C-alpha cells in the first residue's frame, strides 16, 4: 500500500504526510513521515473521527457516518476521510495545497484500494 500513498503525496504538490489508520487510532501505513509522528497523528485522528461521527448522527436524514473532515490551521490543512469499514485516510498539507485536487485524489485512492484499507474489528486483542 505504501506506493499508493506515495502516489498521492507526489501527485498533489505541498503534501506533507499521508497516513492510513484504523478507527481505534492504530497506524496501518504511512508515507512522508516517521513512525512517531504517524502514530501521534493516528491517535489524534481516532478522537476526531469519533467526534465527527457523533455530530453526523445529529442529521436526521443522514446515515450517521463521517465521510470527510477538513481542518484549516495557520500553515496548512488536515484532511481525514473514511476509507473503508474501520479505516481512515489522513493527510497533512501546506497552506498553498490545491484543496480540490487533494479531495479528488483522496477519493480516487479510497476507491482504488478501499478493500485493502478495511481494518477488521479486534476481539480480545486479536484481529477477527
Amino acid at each position: 500500500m505504501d506506493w499508493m500513498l506515495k502516489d498521492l503525496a507526489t501527485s498533489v504538490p505541498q503534501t506533507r504526510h499521508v497516513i492510513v489508520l484504523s478507527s481505534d487510532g492504530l497506524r496501518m501505513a504511512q508515507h512522508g513521515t516517521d513512525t512517531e509522528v504517524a502514530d501521534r497523528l493516528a491517535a489524534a485522528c481516532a478522537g476526531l473521527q469519533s467526534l465527527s461521527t457523533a455530530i453526523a448522527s445529529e442529521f436526521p436524514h443522514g446515515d450517521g457516518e463521517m465521510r470527510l473532515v477538513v481542518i484549516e490551521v495557520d500553515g496548512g490543512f488536515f484532511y481525514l476521510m473514511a476509507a473503508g469499514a474501520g479505516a481512515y485516510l489522513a493527510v497533512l498539507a501546506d497552506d498553498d495545497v490545491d484543496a480540490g485536487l487533494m479531495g479528488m485524489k483522496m477519493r480516487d485512492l479510497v476507491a482504488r484500494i478501499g478493500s485493502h484499507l478495511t481494518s477488521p474489528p479486534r476481539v480480545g486483542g486479536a484481529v477477527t
Side-chain angles (χ1 to χ4, degrees):
M1 187 178 340
D2 292 345
W3 69 270
M4 290 187 234
L5 301 182
K6 181 180 180 183
D7 182 54
L8 171 66
T10 57
S11 66
V12 182
Q14 310 307 321
T15 300
R16 291 181 158 262
H17 309 297
V18 183
I19 302 164
V20 176
L21 61 130
S22 65
S23 60
D24 55 357
L26 296 176
R27 172 188 43 84
M28 298 166 65
Q30 69 193 57
H31 176 76
T33 187
D34 62 40
T35 301
E36 183 178 323
V37 171
D39 285 344
R40 205 169 44 245
L41 289 170
C45 288
L48 183 58
Q49 69 84 21
S50 178
L51 174 64
S52 60
T53 298
I55 292 169
S57 70
E58 295 301 319
F59 289 88
H61 302 294
D63 61 7
E65 297 294 322
M66 181 281 282
R67 289 189 182 82
L68 174 67
V69 173
V70 179
I71 299 174
E72 180 180 7
V73 297
D74 187 24
F77 290 90
F78 169 77
Y79 301 86
L80 180 63
M81 180 178 283
Y88 296 87
L89 175 63
V91 177
L92 265 70
D94 292 334
D95 58 2
D96 52 349
V97 69
D98 181 334
L101 179 61
M102 179 62 78
M104 182 182 73
K105 292 291 187 175
M106 287 178 72
R107 287 186 204 283
D108 289 350
L109 177 60
V110 167
R112 278 191 335 204
I113 62 170
S115 62
H116 299 288
L117 294 179
T118 301
S119 175
R122 293 183 225 321
V123 177
V127 176
T128 61

